[in-house]
Amino acid sequence: GYDSLLLFLNNNGVINNFQWTWGTGHLVFIGDIFDRGEKVTEALWLIYQLEEQARIAGGAVHMILGNHEILVLSGELDYLAEKYRLMSSRLNFDYSFFFNKNTVLGQWLRTKNTILRINGNLFVHAGLSPEIIECGMDIHEINNAVRYFLNHPNREDYKEISRHTLMGHNGPFWYRGYIEDNHDYKHLPESEFEKVLEYCAAKYIFVGHTNVKKITALYNNRGFAIDVPFYNLGRPIQGILLEEDVVYVLNSSASKRRLN
């Protein structure tokens, strides 16, 4: 999705010719930069570069971790584009080697958060389940726990939480209960969703991971599903713009539509 991303950011005034132009704005990537085509490296270096440019301008670029970042950093490579399989084979290196703790991008990725809160807006790749909330860890502790498990692949516990709980089916990288209702996930009742908001001191929660045909408001406009799979189903790339408490949907033509 790299070429679509460049078009989207340029046309919406976030960058111009690879340079940050959005001043003190915050740009959030909600995970899964990996395994989305044959220009993953280009996308990662773009985000890496813009992060520093935004900081200098008084803004910020945030990239939170998705399940595909976790998969690659953990050496699980089932979703690689053929280009990267061939490259790794020719160089005789496992693909995850290029993102280990001794590489620039590998070190950088391991600093990233799993959960991000900005002005009461909560961003998490898949969602926060009641099981995670019941562990009693705050956002900072959950972020540290994920970093610990990434840096210590043979450790199974971190303080009050296990690797299986945090990195598994109902963890923030895989949970689908806000959107799906099936044999894998029962749709989370609104009362339980409100408990998640309260626990995290959040007004809104924004999630990716589960594909939707268009950016969709959930739970009475308190949750938003934003993973539109433009990269493989021919749908146009979309993003959101938050101004005060108003949520707008943007596209690559820079049109803006209010959602809530």
Side-chain angles (χ1 to χ4, degrees):
Y2 174 73
D3 296 318
S4 295
L5 174 62
L6 280 181
L7 182 67
F8 180 85
L9 295 178
N10 272 288
N11 287 353
N12 282 289
V14 178
I15 67 173
N16 182 24
N17 195 26
F18 299 98
Q19 300 301 307
W20 177 262
T21 55
W22 206 32
T24 58
H26 285 244
L27 174 64
V28 179
F29 293 90
I30 206 161
D32 282 3
I33 305 301
F34 282 100
D35 300 332
R36 293 295 179 262
E38 296 191 341
K39 293 186 177 180
V40 170
T41 311
E42 290 89 334
L44 290 172
W45 282 119
L46 174 67
I47 297 168
Y48 182 95
Q49 168 185 297
L50 292 179
E51 189 178 83
E52 178 63 10
Q53 292 178 5
R55 185 192 66 79
I56 293 170
V61 172
H62 311 271
M63 176 185 160
I64 62 174
L65 297 172
N67 61 305
H68 284 268
E69 279 73 46
I70 298 302
L71 288 170
V72 170
L73 294 177
S74 302
E76 298 179 46
L77 308 173
D78 293 341
Y79 301 94
L80 288 185
E82 188 59 31
K83 165 187 170 180
Y84 294 117
R85 292 190 187 281
L86 180 61
M87 176 194 76
S88 300
S89 175
R90 290 284 179 87
L91 294 174
N92 199 28
F93 282 119
D94 186 274
Y95 180 70
S96 59
F97 171 83
F98 301 104
F99 304 98
N100 68 34
K101 291 189 286 187
N102 297 315
T103 67
V104 172
L105 287 178
Q107 291 176 2
W108 175 71
L109 287 165
R110 285 169 174 80
T111 69
K112 297 303 156 203
N113 288 319
T114 298
I115 307 170
L116 175 69
R117 186 176 57 213
I118 305 172
N119 296 331
N121 301 300
L122 196 77
F123 302 88
V124 57
H125 179 66
L128 288 179
S129 67
E131 182 179 358
I132 296 299
I133 297 303
E134 287 164 7
C135 292
M137 303 177 77
D138 63 23
I139 292 171
H140 178 71
E141 291 171 322
I142 292 172
N143 288 332
N144 281 340
V146 172
R147 281 190 275 268
Y148 178 83
F149 289 133
L150 286 175
N151 286 317
H152 301 89
N154 297 319
R155 307 283 176 85
E156 293 301 321
D157 296 286
Y158 176 83
K159 296 185 178 179
E160 299 88 355
I161 200 164
S162 70
R163 178 186 295 272
H164 175 75
T165 298
L166 185 58
M167 313 296 268
H169 184 77
N170 286 320
F173 304 107
W174 296 97
Y175 183 64
R176 299 185 191 270
Y178 298 170
I179 303 166
E180 294 190 355
D181 191 358
N182 52 41
H183 65 283
D184 290 320
Y185 295 96
K186 292 302 177 186
H187 188 258
L188 188 71
E190 186 162 351
S191 59
E192 293 297 312
F193 183 79
E194 292 290 338
K195 290 179 183 178
V196 175
L197 286 171
E198 182 179 356
Y199 187 86
C200 298
K203 294 178 294 187
Y204 300 142
I205 298 180
F206 297 87
V207 299
H209 186 57
T210 302
N211 289 171
V212 289
K213 293 180 180 179
K214 61 181 181 179
I215 291 177
T216 304
L218 310 167
Y219 297 105
N220 235 359
N221 290 322
R222 303 297 301 281
F224 297 88
I226 67 173
D227 188 3
V228 178
F230 67 93
Y231 42 81
N232 62 6
L233 293 180
R235 295 192 175 96
I237 186 171
Q238 298 178 39
I240 59 165
L241 173 67
L242 282 164
E243 291 180 330
E244 303 298 334
D245 288 336
V246 181
V247 181
Y248 298 94
V249 177
L250 305 177
N251 63 25
S252 57
S253 299
S255 70
K256 186 168 82 171
R257 173 178 60 86
R258 182 167 178 165
L259 188 59
N260 67 341

